Amino acid sequence: MTRALKIIPQRSIYNYIHKRKMSSTPSLPKFVVWAPDYTDDGALGRRLAVRPAHLENIKKQISQGVLRVGGAFMTPESVDAAAADRKFRGSCMIYEGENLDAVRQLVEEDLYYKTDVWDKEKIVILPIALATGLPPVPS
């Protein structure tokens, strides 16, 4: 008994492969990190001193898909302030990682952690179930 070959349009094959590829790589758990800054007089100076290097590391983590979104919390009056006059209160990020310990390690390797910008005693890392999607990981 011979089997008849079924002809599948090329676009359908692409869709099938693309869907299989997408579904075979499950996303990792997400974790929200709240890292408040220290409030001493030198905290802002420490933040600004290492900010360029901190941002370079952030770009790398974003391109790797580890850091999904992040930014600095500012005081309400900073919304309309010139960049040089903004006052920061801390950072908030959403990481994707194997587990809480893996995300904690990323936080502890950050320059803001190492140079005492973030208040180490007040950092909060919690799993998060997102109700909305995240931006795609840059390729």
Side-chain angles (χ1 to χ4, degrees):
M1 179 182 205
T2 46
R3 294 181 118 178
L5 291 176
K6 184 175 180 183
I7 305 297
I8 301 172
Q10 189 174 12
R11 186 72 186 154
S12 295
I13 292 171
Y14 170 81
N15 288 340
Y16 173 77
I17 292 169
H18 183 69
K19 286 178 187 173
R20 294 278 296 170
K21 184 177 177 185
M22 296 299 290
S23 65
S24 66
T25 55
S27 64
L28 294 171
K30 307 324 182 260
F31 297 87
V32 66
V33 176
W34 161 236
D37 288 358
Y38 283 105
T39 57
D40 62 274
D41 290 337
L44 179 60
R46 290 191 303 273
R47 177 183 267 272
L48 297 177
V50 297
R51 187 170 188 261
H54 165 78
L55 293 176
E56 280 303 312
N57 185 53
I58 292 301
K59 286 179 189 175
K60 186 173 85 175
Q61 288 181 340
I62 289 170
S63 70
Q64 294 169 340
V66 175
L67 178 63
R68 299 307 306 271
V69 67
F73 277 107
M74 300 181 297
T75 61
E77 63 273 8
S78 295
V79 172
D80 297 322
D85 297 327
R86 292 181 180 153
K87 294 181 177 73
F88 298 97
R89 293 293 182 240
S91 303
C92 185
M93 293 85 56
I94 295 179
Y95 281 96
E96 199 168 272
E98 292 288 331
N99 54 46
L100 187 110
D101 289 334
V103 172
R104 183 181 319 282
Q105 182 177 351
L106 290 168
V107 170
E108 290 176 357
E109 290 171 356
D110 194 287
L111 276 176
Y112 282 178
Y113 185 93
K114 290 180 175 182
T115 60
D116 294 326
V117 173
W118 291 334
D119 187 335
K120 295 172 181 148
E121 299 298 315
K122 295 181 181 175
I123 292 174
V124 175
I125 305 172
L126 293 170
I128 185 169
L130 297 172
T132 61
L134 287 170
V137 176
S139 50

